Amino acid sequence: MHFDYIIIGSGSGNSFPTPEFDDASIAIIEEAPRFGGTCLNSGCIPTKMYVVAADTAHSAATSERLGIHTTFEGADWPAIVDRVFGHRVDIISRGGEEYRRGDECPNITLFRGHAQFTGPKTLSTTLDGEDVEITGDTIIIAAGSRPFIPPVIAESGVPYLTNEDVMRLPEQPESITILGGGFIAMEFAHVFQSLGTHVRIVNRSPLMRHLDADIHDRFNALVAPRYETHIGRMVSSASHDDNSVTLTLDDGTSLTSSALLVATGRVPNGDRMNLAAAGVDMHDNGRIVVDDYGRTTADGIWALGDVSSPYMLKHVANAELRAVRHNVLQAAGARDASGAPGATSTSDMVPMPHDHVPSAVFTYPQLATVGLTEEQAREAGYDVTTKIQNYGDVAYGWALEDQGSVVKLIADKKTARLLGAHYMGPQASTLIQQMVTVLAFNLDLRDVARRQYWTHPALAEVTENAILGLDLDFPDY
Ligand SMILES: Cc1cc2nc3c(=O)[nH]c(=O)nc-3n(C[C@H](O)[C@H](O)[C@H](O)COP(=O)(O)OP(=O)(O)OC[C@H]3O[C@@H](n4cnc5c(N)ncnc54)[C@H](O)[C@@H]3O)c2cc1C
């Protein structure tokens, strides 16, 4: 079977075919039982739906400071699972697959199985249970990533959960040990602790270590009372019985919980596709090598998203998808003598969009970041000015009775340009957007502070005050 286009992965890859491709034959290959990729089925979307439930439980348990007598009485875990998956995620996933199989996509064939290269532009996979070999003029690899499981856990034989199954547990665990201290670990820690599970965290370094030091120091101090943390520790061994998993740490501590969640990072799926057969190079960690335009080392084979990106984030995968689609269309316009897509000048292409990539962590308190940390800014040689502004010093912070939330801005004194913005506190994932705009459009922070209104008493005033606290030459009006 031959196709004009083959797409591996139904996450971001599923958004590749737009009306421009209606006359082309397209194969989409997906191996997972659920169609639609990580973000939909076990990533961004369901986790945030759990976090909203957790935030509500947490508010009920901590409303005393506002003079409100509420308590958290307990969570109906099966009802939460049903709301997230039964009423939303699984419906969208099934609908997406039916749409691709249906009359509205006559030019698309869906293959449900593992894809693996057997030669240049040639793949083996499965169609209706039969092994098949297919070829394509252009191949888009959007195969994503998977959880990294440390050997000490993988080789021990203990049962463990990852983002792929923890949200579908039939019952809420009484206690859970979370291995890891990054964004996935912190979102699940907040979810489970707020819903009444005892949470133990094991991590070899401080939580959220990659963030600006002022933010991660404060974050670690703020969350310490909520979790049983074992920081600076490694797992020496793991064992289990019918009801629990026990980790023994390198200081001899033994931790027994009803469940173990492994959230120690993710590895790109490039190593599972026999890429060498197609001449596609990858880095040591399984990440596919791509140039600025999304081209792999093999002619006519492109890659995007977690499988090849330095950023494992959905908004980056989406942006890379748009860039690669544009570039593929440019290449398709330039055909060689046989009619196959030919080479095209990179001046017609758009580079992978990797400037000013923001990220948000929907834990408690929320975290959001864009641009450089202070350390990075100083290392890069900027004339740095910084301001840490407490939420508690602005009017909405008073309303929240906030303690501990901050925004830290880092700017270049010479040019009055923003270098980095880091939020920790309520609405961080929304507040960061204004700073993304400032960076994307290279705005002068003096104009940003004074040439627009800041709605009073919205929490955005914390940003206004932070800008005004920078050592910049502001007008006196
Ligand atoms: C718990 C969690 C929370 C997250 N939260 C956020 C968030 O809040 N914000 C954010 O921006 N990002 C978040 N992410 C990251 C985000 O989910 C990913 O960056 C994004 O989904 C990557 O999209 P993708 O298209 O590259 O890969 P995917 O969506 O993973 O799609 C790849 C698909 O390819 C399939 N596949 C792989 N190999 C093969 C093969 N050989 N043959 C056939 N099929 C194959 C896979 O089954 C998968 O369906 C989160 C991730 C996790 C795990």
Side-chain angles (χ1 to χ4, degrees):
M1 262 182 278
H2 182 79
F3 293 88
D4 296 325
Y5 296 94
I6 298 175
I7 299 162
I8 306 171
S10 70
S12 313
N14 185 45
S15 302
F16 186 86
T18 41
E20 293 97 318
F21 297 89
D22 279 355
D23 295 330
S25 61
I26 301 176
I28 298 179
I29 315 177
E30 175 53 62
E31 68 179 357
R34 294 190 180 87
F35 186 84
T38 303
C39 172
L40 173 65
N41 290 297
S42 61
C44 336
I45 292 171
T47 49
K48 268 81 260 184
M49 294 181 79
Y50 278 80
V51 166
V52 170
D55 287 348
T56 307
H58 190 259
S59 290
T62 57
S63 59
E64 208 59 43
R65 72 188 195 290
L66 303 176
I68 302 293
H69 306 300
T70 55
T71 49
F72 170 64
E73 301 283 328
D76 182 347
W77 177 264
I80 297 175
V81 176
D82 195 43
R83 174 179 91 89
V84 174
F85 293 107
H87 289 266
R88 186 73 66 176
V89 167
D90 291 350
I91 294 173
I92 299 171
S93 169
R94 278 196 301 272
E97 177 158 1
E98 279 161 23
Y99 173 72
R100 284 300 181 215
R101 288 186 187 283
D103 295 342
E104 283 170 278
C105 300
N107 60 325
I108 293 181
T109 308
L110 187 56
F111 293 79
R112 295 299 261 121
H114 182 70
Q116 179 150 304
F117 285 97
T118 53
K121 294 195 179 178
T122 309
L123 290 153
S124 66
T125 184
T126 313
L127 183 63
D128 302 327
E130 301 284 320
D131 290 344
V132 289
E133 195 163 77
I134 63 174
T135 52
D137 290 333
T138 301
I139 298 178
I140 319 294
I141 307 176
S145 60
R146 61 182 186 274
F148 168 73
I149 310 300
V152 67
I153 301 298
E155 289 159 14
S156 69
V158 298
Y160 61 84
L161 302 159
T162 68
N163 65 293
E164 282 162 19
D165 44 13
V166 69
M167 289 180 278
R168 292 178 187 262
L169 281 173
E171 283 171 25
Q172 183 183 342
E174 256 176 54
S175 55
I176 192 165
T177 300
I178 300 180
L179 199 51
F183 84 95
I184 295 175
M186 289 306 98
E187 291 187 353
F188 282 124
H190 168 51
V191 166
F192 280 107
Q193 194 276 341
S194 300
L195 299 182
T197 295
H198 182 80
V199 173
R200 302 184 169 94
I201 301 174
V202 180
N203 201 40
R204 63 181 170 193
S205 56
L207 308 173
M208 301 305 302
R209 181 190 46 137
H210 66 283
L211 294 179
D212 184 278
D214 282 315
I215 301 293
H216 80 64
D217 282 353
R218 284 170 166 79
F219 180 77
N220 278 265
L222 266 179
V223 302
R226 293 184 65 194
Y227 312 126
E228 183 188 320
T229 49
H230 300 267
I231 303 299
R233 299 271 64 94
M234 308 272 282
V235 178
S236 302
S237 64
S239 61
H240 70 109
D241 62 24
D242 288 348
N243 304 313
S244 62
V245 181
T246 299
L247 298 187
T248 305
L249 308 186
D250 54 359
D251 63 350
T253 308
S254 176
L255 306 176
T256 300
S257 297
S258 342
L260 169 65
L261 171 66
V262 180
T264 42
R266 295 181 63 81
V267 280
N269 282 327
D271 58 343
R272 292 186 164 174
M273 310 178 70
N274 195 25
L275 293 172
V280 176
D281 289 353
M282 61 178 187
H283 301 278
D284 287 347
N285 64 354
R287 184 156 72 86
I288 293 178
V289 175
V290 285
D291 68 5
D292 281 352
Y293 306 96
R295 295 177 296 192
T296 70
T297 48
D299 192 35
I301 303 185
W302 306 68
L304 61 93
D306 281 14
V307 77
S308 55
S309 181
Y311 299 94
M312 287 190 176
L313 290 165
K314 181 58 175 166
H315 42 274
V316 178
N318 287 343
E320 290 187 359
L321 166 81
R322 293 192 295 272
V324 166
R325 185 169 50 212
H326 171 88
N327 297 343
V328 164
L329 282 168
Q330 295 302 313
R335 304 240 160 216
D336 67 16
S338 71
T344 188
S345 157
T346 52
S347 63
D348 300 324
M349 296 192 183
V350 290
M352 296 298 239
H354 290 161
D355 287 341
H356 316 307
V357 173
S359 64
V361 187
F362 295 75
T363 182
Y364 191 93
Q366 271 192 15
L367 298 159
T369 180
V370 64
L372 303 180
T373 63
E374 181 176 347
E375 198 183 339
Q376 290 166 338
R378 291 196 187 282
E379 270 172 19
Y382 287 104
D383 187 4
V384 168
T385 168
T386 68
K387 171 68 183 175
I388 296 177
Q389 178 69 47
N390 296 320
Y391 278 42
D393 292 340
V394 301
Y396 205 81
W398 305 340
L400 292 169
E401 213 55 56
D402 187 85
Q403 286 189 345
S405 301
V406 290
V407 51
K408 176 173 179 180
L409 298 185
I410 298 142
D412 181 18
K413 259 196 253 182
K414 277 203 195 91
T415 59
R417 292 309 192 268
L418 183 68
L419 299 171
H422 311 278
Y423 289 82
M424 182 186 74
Q427 303 179 26
S429 56
T430 304
L431 292 172
I432 195 76
Q433 192 60 42
Q434 214 173 7
M435 297 299 96
V436 177
T437 306
V438 168
L439 281 169
F441 296 98
N442 194 26
L443 301 178
D444 185 318
L445 284 168
R446 294 164 298 191
D447 291 341
V448 174
R450 283 301 184 231
R451 290 188 53 202
Q452 64 176 334
Y453 272 108
W454 295 83
T455 312
H456 180 72
L459 202 43
E461 284 183 332
V462 77
T463 305
E464 180 193 17
N465 283 11
I467 298 174
L468 291 172
L470 292 165
D471 184 8
L472 302 175
D473 191 14
F474 291 100
D476 62 357
Y477 54 91

